[in-house]
């Protein structure tokens, strides 16, 4: 046997893969869902101008080089008032403590006021490696960004600070390069073509919930929930989906339906269009609005959302 036969070639050497979980935490409306969709390269989390739209942890899966990065988009951390609020905040901190790396996203325009300050305090007790990501940098002066980064790094020991725009993608490549190298060596957790661990029925419900928020703005409070009740693949290649929008009062049902059914038709049209694009097949979407009083105190609804029902 010659020396050449003992020497591994480029073809026989396996590429060392890396994989791990990155928890994306931050105050409400910091841009977490927008950033997740940007980094994954597809829509996996709903985006709305309304705060607290992400309710449970959504995992978005990105491949960067030989690394598989599993992002966990957690609900925005804020001062809880209701049972649902408490479940969302508990879910966010639980996701952070289960991750290989914690990524704190701060809205540069709002800075460290309010909830952001409380999150920094909470991060002092978390042992995992942490990085700071300042978002919306295109709206803030450079000197203000540097001051913001300095104050945050003084409060918590971050390994690195990144300045990005989730909307334009500026700075995101550097962030991905760092994460791909920072995660531990090991096999990938998911198939290469999978972008989320959300079941398609749940993702479809999330898309309809987003359209509900976008259409109704401040008219319908957070006392609404969407469930996919039927999913039928049809012989002609299309899919029939039936979903129920649950609200707590009859007055809210009237808002969701709109005058002459105008609101529900617009919501259905927008959701059906996006679902058809994601599924790459024709979609027949049927929406129903039902009143379920105090659904926010129903453990079954929490399980449907992927949240633990808080006691007390």
């Amino acid at each position: 046997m010659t020396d050449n036969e003992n020497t591994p070639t480029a073809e026989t050497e396996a590429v060392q893969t890396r994989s791990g979980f990155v928890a994306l935490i931050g105050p409400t409306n910091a841009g977490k869902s927008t950033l997740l969709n940007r980094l994954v390269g597809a829509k996996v989390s709903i985006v709305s101008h309304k705060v607290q739209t992400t309710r449970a942890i959504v995992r978005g899966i990105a491949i960067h080089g030989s690394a598989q990065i599993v992002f966990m988009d957690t609900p925005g951390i804020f001062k809880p008032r209701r049972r649902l609020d408490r479940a969302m905040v508990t879910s966010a901190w639980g996701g952070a403590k289960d991750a290989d790396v914690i990524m704190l996203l701060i809205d540069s325009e709002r800075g460290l006021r309010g909830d952001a300050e409380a999150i920094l305090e909470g991060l002092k007790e978390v042992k995992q490696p942490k990085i700071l990501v300042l978002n919306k940098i295109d709206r803030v002066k450079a000197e203000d960004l540097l001051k913001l980064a300095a104050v945050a790094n003084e409060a918590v020991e971050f390994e690195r600070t990144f300045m990005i725009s989730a909307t334009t993608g500026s700075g995101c490549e550097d962030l991905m390069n760092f994460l791909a190298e920072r995660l531990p060596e090991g096999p990938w957790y998911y198939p290469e073509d999978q972008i989320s661990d959300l079941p398609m029925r749940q993702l479809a419900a999330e898309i309809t919930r987003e359209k509900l928020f976008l259409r109704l703005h401040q008219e319908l409070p957070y006392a609404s929930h969407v469930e996919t009740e039927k999913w039928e693949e049809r012989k002609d290649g299309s899919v029939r989906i039936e979903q129920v929008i649950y609200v707590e009062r009859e007055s809210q049902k009237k808002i969701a339906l709109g005058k002459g059914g105008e609101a529900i038709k617009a919501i259905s049209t927008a959701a059906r269009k996006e679902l058809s694009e994601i599924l790459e097949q024709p979609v027949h979407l049927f929406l129903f609005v039902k009143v379920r009083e105090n659904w926010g105190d129903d453990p079954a609804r929490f399980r449907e959302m992927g949240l633990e029902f808080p006691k007390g």
Side-chain angles (χ1 to χ4, degrees):
M1 188 178 287
T2 66
D3 287 343
N4 286 341
E5 288 176 287
N6 286 326
T7 304
T9 64
E11 288 75 24
T12 59
E13 266 191 286
V15 176
Q16 181 59 60
T17 57
R18 294 178 179 271
S19 61
F21 293 85
V22 177
L24 185 48
I25 71 168
T28 54
N29 256 10
K32 295 187 301 300
S33 296
T34 302
L35 179 59
L36 176 69
N37 294 337
R38 163 74 60 182
L39 298 180
V40 172
K43 185 163 188 171
V44 293
S45 190
I46 77 169
V47 178
S48 167
H49 62 284
K50 295 187 77 171
V51 299
Q52 303 159 28
T53 45
T54 299
R55 284 179 172 168
I57 291 176
V58 177
R59 291 181 180 87
I61 304 154
I63 307 297
H64 195 76
S66 60
Q68 184 179 72
I69 308 167
V70 185
F71 292 100
M72 300 189 294
D73 179 19
T74 62
I77 297 174
F78 57 99
K79 188 175 181 180
R81 295 179 181 85
R82 305 166 297 164
R83 194 190 294 269
L84 177 59
D85 296 344
R86 295 203 305 276
M88 289 161 62
V89 172
T90 300
S91 173
W93 280 116
K97 289 169 184 173
D98 289 339
D100 295 291
V101 176
I102 295 172
M103 186 159 77
L104 172 62
L105 188 68
I106 295 292
D107 179 337
S108 299
E109 279 191 301
R110 281 190 286 167
L112 301 177
R113 296 187 298 274
D115 293 329
E117 196 172 11
I119 294 169
L120 283 174
E121 196 61 35
L123 279 176
K124 293 177 182 178
E125 310 301 319
V126 180
K127 294 178 181 178
Q128 282 93 330
K130 296 172 278 289
I131 62 173
L132 174 66
V133 179
L134 301 182
N135 190 23
K136 305 180 185 179
I137 58 168
D138 46 325
R139 304 181 188 179
V140 181
K141 293 178 182 176
E143 55 265 34
D144 292 333
L145 285 170
L146 292 173
K147 285 178 190 174
L148 179 59
V151 172
N153 277 274
E154 198 173 308
V156 173
E157 191 176 337
F158 292 104
E159 287 193 0
R160 287 280 299 273
T161 297
F162 293 89
M163 299 186 183
I164 65 129
S165 167
T167 304
T168 67
S170 174
C172 290
E173 185 70 14
D174 289 341
L175 175 60
M176 290 292 280
N177 289 340
F178 172 82
L179 292 172
E181 289 296 320
R182 185 63 183 81
L183 293 179
E185 292 182 350
W188 290 357
Y189 290 98
Y190 298 95
E192 186 173 355
D193 60 350
Q194 188 170 339
I195 60 167
S196 175
D197 71 340
L198 260 191
M200 190 49 69
R201 290 169 71 106
Q202 194 176 339
L203 180 60
E206 286 290 282
I207 286 169
T208 299
R209 190 162 67 90
E210 177 188 57
K211 305 312 175 194
L212 188 73
F213 278 165
L214 293 174
R215 169 76 188 186
L216 298 176
H217 303 296
Q218 303 300 323
E219 295 177 72
L220 190 67
Y222 289 97
S224 60
H225 170 56
V226 181
E227 288 184 18
T228 302
E229 294 209 331
K230 289 186 180 178
W231 187 292
E232 179 194 349
E233 296 285 347
R234 304 175 70 171
K235 290 180 182 178
D236 62 1
S238 66
V239 58
R240 177 190 170 94
I241 302 170
E242 292 184 13
Q243 294 178 331
V244 177
I245 299 169
Y246 288 106
V247 294
E248 290 188 318
R249 293 188 295 277
E250 196 65 39
S251 60
Q252 294 169 352
K253 180 178 179 179
K254 289 177 182 176
I255 292 171
L257 291 172
K259 189 176 180 180
E262 182 185 352
I264 199 72
K265 285 176 189 172
I267 292 162
S268 179
T269 299
R272 183 175 65 247
K273 182 176 183 293
E274 186 159 327
L275 282 167
S276 296
E277 291 170 0
I278 291 173
L279 296 171
E280 297 180 340
Q281 65 186 121
V283 170
H284 306 283
L285 179 63
F286 299 86
L287 299 182
F288 305 91
V289 183
K290 294 183 181 179
V291 177
R292 179 172 279 166
E293 290 185 12
N294 301 319
W295 72 259
D297 294 322
D298 181 357
R301 304 281 76 75
F302 279 68
R303 285 195 295 273
E304 181 71 25
M305 288 185 281
L307 293 169
E308 284 195 27
F309 186 71
K311 295 173 183 173

